[in-house]
Amino acid sequence: MLAGPLLVAAVSVAHAAPVHVVVVADAPGKLVDEAVAGLVKDGARVDVRIVSSQLVDGADGDTIYLAAGAQSARALSALAHVKRAAFLVKASDAPTTMPSVTLDAPLASQLRWLKIAFPGRARVIVPRSKRDDDGALKDAAVKAGLTLVLVDVRSPGEAVPAVDDALKKARGAAVILLVPDAVAVTPDTVAPLVQDALSLRTPVVGFSTYFLKVGAIGAVSVDYAAMARQALALALSSATSATSSSSSSMSTSPVAPESGHLVVDGRLAERLGVAVRDGAGV
């Protein structure tokens, strides 16, 4: 599949003009700015709209529409006659009526990155209140050759003592992986949890780069410009598939960001005496 400048150039040649992309955003912000900058750098003509009811009336079939966010994705999902895709959405918010690039890096990739980044740490401790992803976490741990320790958290106040207890019981060095969870991972639990772990020289890895600001050694990160390019490619390929099959109501599954990777604060790791190394995805 073509990507980046080659993709935009190919589409522009086909239309005898720069490809026109409308990014429909939930709200303005840094993530949208980075995505737009990447598309412009590739040679696309990009307009940004904040999602509104006027979107439906102004849509046209020659423009490619990219939804940046859950609200925008819902709005675009009603426009079956346009080339469209979504990005900057959680997998749970991705519409099934159009292609989406989610913010969620696959758990299998995350645990593989942990295995590479933190040599000698064979245990991964995951605090959570819901068990929806337990199966995927267990499968990912097996594939990565890691031992998974799932910690039950029934209220925010239980998060730190529950993880602390798991650390004390762990046989061998461990890594704490924070996954999205409205009970176990909150603004009130993150800072004390990270500080408690660091006092025991145990690395914490969060699901976004925000966690690096509160002392986590590692975080899952994505390139937002790359996500926008990936969404553009999906919008074009989906439109081609729909045309060839004479169907505009195909069900699609969200895809993971190809640019997902693990960022490690090497200086903090060195200061704490935590061994880290580079590798694929890290």
Side-chain angles (χ1 to χ4, degrees):
M1 179 183 293
L2 293 175
L6 291 178
L7 172 65
V8 173
V11 177
S12 297
V13 169
H15 289 264
V19 58
H20 183 209
V21 178
V22 171
V23 174
V24 184
D26 288 5
K30 179 182 177 182
L31 306 188
V32 174
D33 291 344
E34 289 182 14
V36 170
L39 293 172
V40 170
K41 184 178 180 180
D42 291 345
R45 180 167 64 90
V46 182
D47 294 323
V48 179
R49 299 181 189 172
I50 303 304
V51 64
S52 69
S53 59
Q54 298 178 350
L55 173 66
V56 176
D57 298 331
D60 73 82
D62 293 328
T63 297
I64 301 167
Y65 292 83
L66 301 181
Q71 184 181 354
S72 303
R74 287 193 295 272
L76 273 186
S77 66
L79 306 183
H81 62 288
V82 301
K83 303 180 185 73
R84 66 209 171 134
F87 68 109
L88 295 182
V89 294
K90 297 179 181 178
S92 57
D93 294 330
T96 59
T97 54
M98 68 180 188
S100 302
V101 182
T102 72
L103 287 164
D104 313 286
L107 290 170
S109 297
Q110 294 186 46
L111 268 69
R112 185 175 68 251
W113 298 335
L114 295 185
K115 176 78 170 182
I116 294 170
F118 302 102
R121 295 181 179 270
R123 293 184 179 274
V124 178
I125 297 173
V126 181
R128 84 282 186 259
S129 65
K130 53 186 180 180
R131 303 187 177 189
D132 301 14
D133 294 329
D134 283 8
L137 281 165
K138 291 175 182 177
D139 290 343
V142 170
K143 291 178 181 177
L146 297 169
T147 299
L148 180 68
V149 180
L150 295 171
V151 178
D152 292 320
V153 178
R154 292 171 294 184
S155 69
E158 291 185 6
V160 175
V163 171
D164 188 59
D165 184 59
L167 282 171
K168 291 176 180 177
K169 292 179 179 178
R171 298 177 181 177
V175 179
I176 298 172
L177 175 64
L178 301 182
V179 298
D181 189 292
V183 176
V185 184
T186 73
D188 293 328
T189 65
V190 169
L193 191 156
V194 169
Q195 293 307 311
D196 184 61
L198 294 184
S199 70
L200 298 173
R201 300 184 184 278
T202 299
V204 176
V205 174
F207 55 83
S208 76
T209 53
Y210 157 79
F211 293 93
L212 295 174
K213 300 177 182 178
V214 292
I217 285 181
V220 176
S221 179
V222 294
D223 182 321
Y224 300 109
M227 283 185 70
R229 296 184 187 107
Q230 188 179 354
L232 174 60
L234 286 175
L236 293 168
S237 61
S238 177
T240 301
S241 298
T243 300
S244 61
S245 64
S246 300
S247 172
S248 59
S249 60
M250 296 185 300
S251 178
T252 61
S253 298
V255 301
E258 295 174 350
S259 62
H261 59 283
L262 180 66
V263 176
V264 176
D265 186 338
R267 284 184 291 184
L268 177 58
E270 183 178 5
R271 191 161 71 244
L272 294 171
V274 174
V276 296
R277 71 180 182 191
D278 293 331
V282 180

